[in-house]
Amino acid sequence: MKSLIAAALMLGAMALPATAQERLSVALDWTPNTNHVGLYVAQAKGWFKDAGLDVEILPYTDTSSGTLVATGVAEFGILSSIGFYSQRATGADLTVVMAVMQHETGRLVFNGEREDIQRPADLDGMTYAGFGSAWEQALISTIIQNDGGKGEFETVTLGTSAYEALANGTVDFTLEVSTWEGVNSVLLDRPQRAFRYADYGVPDQHTTYLGGNGTWLKANPETARAFVEAAQRGYAFAAENPEEAAEMLIAETGGMLSNPELVRASMQAIVDGGYLQDEGEPVGLIDADMFGNITKFMFEAGVMRDADGKRLEEMPDVSTWFTNEYQKQ
C-alpha cells in the first residue's frame, strides 16, 4: 500500500510543472528605448522569473499602452505622463504604480545658431512643429506668456518628422525628450539651444510611469507587488550600472535598436541628469506633490477632459490615481 501511495504521489508530482509561473504582459508606449531599460534588465537578469512570473513585453502598436492596460489586454504598461493624466480623467481603469523618470525630461528646442531667438517671448508668431496634443498648446503658451509674450504661434503637426524639419529650417521650434532626441542631436552634430519648462512656470513632473490595470491590481496585490519590485530592481540596476544596462537593452531587443551609440549615450545622460533616482530615495518613488501640481496645471489649462470630451468642471481627487504600495521601500 505504501509503495502505491508513493508511486501515486510521484506521478502527481510529475504531472505538475517544475515551476508554476504566472503569465503577465507589459505594453510599451513606444518602440524600445532607454525609458524601458529596467524591464529589459529585469528580464535579462531573470528577476521576473525568480519572482514566479512569466513576463511578456508586448511590442509597440498603434493602440496606446494606456488603452491596452485600461481594457485588460495587458496588466501593466509604460505610460507617458500626459497620456496617463488625459486617459485617467476620462475614467480609464489605470493606476500608476511607479515613476520611471523622477523629473521632466522634455524641453523646448530650436536651432542653436538662431540669433533671433534669445528668450521664449521671441517665439511669438513663429512656427512650431507639433505632435497633435492639447497639452502642447497649453505648455508652450504658458512658457511664452510667462516671459512676457502673447503666447501666439503657428502649429504644423509633423510627429517625429519635427526633428528633421527643425534641422532643415522648415520650422522654428519643437519639443523633444532631452535624454533621447536631445542626445541624438549632439551625436548628429546639430547645435541646439533649449528652454526648460520649469524655468517658465510649468511644474516639474515625472514624465514616464509604470502603470497597471486598476481592477486587476486590486484583485492580484501579491502578483502586482512581485512584478513591480522586479521592475524596480531593474531600474535600480540601470541607475548604478548605466553602461551594462545599455548593453542588456540592446541585446534583449534583438536588433530593434538600430543605433547602439544613441542607446549608450542616452543611458548615460539619464543617469548623469539624475532622472532615474533622487538622492536618498528609492528608484521609482512617486512624489505626491509633484503629481498633484502637474495635474492641477493641466486642469486649469483646460487640458483634462471627461469621457464625452468636455472640459472637467472640478479638479479631480488624484490621490487615487497612483500608489507606491507595490514598490520595495
Side-chain angles (χ1 to χ4, degrees):
M1 179 63 72
K2 289 183 179 180
S3 61
L4 289 174
I5 294 173
L9 290 174
M10 185 176 294
L11 287 171
M14 291 173 62
L16 295 173
T19 55
Q21 293 187 311
E22 184 156 356
R23 293 181 62 86
L24 293 179
S25 59
V26 54
L28 301 184
D29 62 330
W30 197 247
T31 54
N33 58 67
T34 44
N35 282 353
H36 311 140
V37 66
L39 299 176
Y40 286 102
V41 167
Q43 194 81 292
K45 287 285 191 180
W47 292 334
F48 289 134
K49 183 177 180 180
D50 291 346
L53 305 175
D54 178 9
V55 175
E56 180 184 10
I57 300 175
L58 300 178
Y60 171 72
T61 70
D62 291 339
T63 303
S64 74
S65 56
T67 298
L68 293 175
V69 175
T71 56
V73 174
E75 288 80 14
F76 291 94
I78 298 294
L79 312 173
S80 71
S81 57
I82 302 306
F84 165 74
Y85 300 136
S86 299
Q87 285 188 286
R88 190 65 173 80
T90 67
D93 192 9
L94 294 169
T95 301
V96 164
V97 295
M98 195 180 108
V100 172
M101 293 293 158
Q102 289 299 312
H103 299 285
E104 177 66 72
T105 56
R107 61 183 184 176
L108 186 155
V109 293
F110 51 95
N111 190 309
E113 298 175 348
R114 292 280 297 263
E115 295 184 358
D116 57 336
I117 303 177
Q118 298 297 323
R119 52 189 294 179
D122 294 333
L123 300 174
D124 268 333
M126 292 191 177
T127 301
Y128 162 65
F131 305 87
S133 74
W135 154 254
E136 298 161 52
Q137 179 70 36
L139 170 69
I140 298 168
S141 295
T142 297
I143 291 172
I144 295 174
Q145 290 167 358
N146 284 345
D147 189 49
K150 296 179 180 179
E152 299 174 352
F153 54 92
E154 298 294 324
T155 298
V156 290
T157 301
L158 298 178
T160 54
S161 297
Y163 306 113
E164 286 301 321
L166 182 66
N168 64 35
T170 305
V171 299
D172 299 302
F173 65 100
T174 189
L175 304 178
E176 72 173 15
V177 177
S178 63
T179 54
W180 190 259
E181 289 87 10
V183 169
N184 197 41
S185 70
V186 174
L187 296 177
L188 294 172
D189 195 26
R190 293 175 175 174
Q192 291 184 340
R193 285 184 288 133
F195 299 130
R196 295 177 63 252
Y197 307 161
D199 290 340
Y200 298 94
V202 180
D204 191 13
Q205 64 165 324
H206 303 298
T207 51
T208 306
Y209 289 118
L210 176 63
N213 178 280
T215 300
W216 184 90
L217 290 171
K218 291 178 181 178
N220 301 274
E222 294 308 314
T223 304
R225 183 169 291 104
F227 173 81
V228 173
E229 286 188 359
Q232 184 185 20
R233 187 179 179 188
Y235 281 103
F237 179 91
E240 294 293 329
N241 306 277
E243 294 180 5
E244 190 174 351
E247 297 307 319
M248 289 182 185
L249 175 59
I250 293 167
E252 287 291 313
T253 51
M256 286 188 282
L257 291 163
S258 60
N259 189 346
E261 185 182 8
L262 172 57
V263 175
R264 297 180 184 111
S266 171
M267 197 64 244
Q268 195 62 55
I270 287 171
V271 172
D272 290 347
Y275 292 109
L276 281 181
Q277 184 174 21
D278 280 336
E279 186 175 355
E281 294 184 352
V283 167
L285 188 68
I286 302 166
D287 185 297
D289 290 337
M290 191 180 295
F291 195 103
N293 290 339
I294 191 65
T295 48
K296 183 173 184 289
F297 174 85
M298 292 181 66
F299 170 75
E300 292 178 346
V303 176
M304 300 178 81
R305 305 288 174 127
D306 63 18
D308 296 322
K310 297 178 181 178
R311 179 172 177 170
L312 294 188
E313 296 182 357
E314 295 183 3
M315 175 67 189
D317 176 12
V318 298
S319 66
T320 62
W321 291 15
F322 70 94
T323 179
N324 287 310
E325 70 175 290
Y326 301 110
Q327 300 176 35
K328 186 173 183 179
Q329 303 299 330

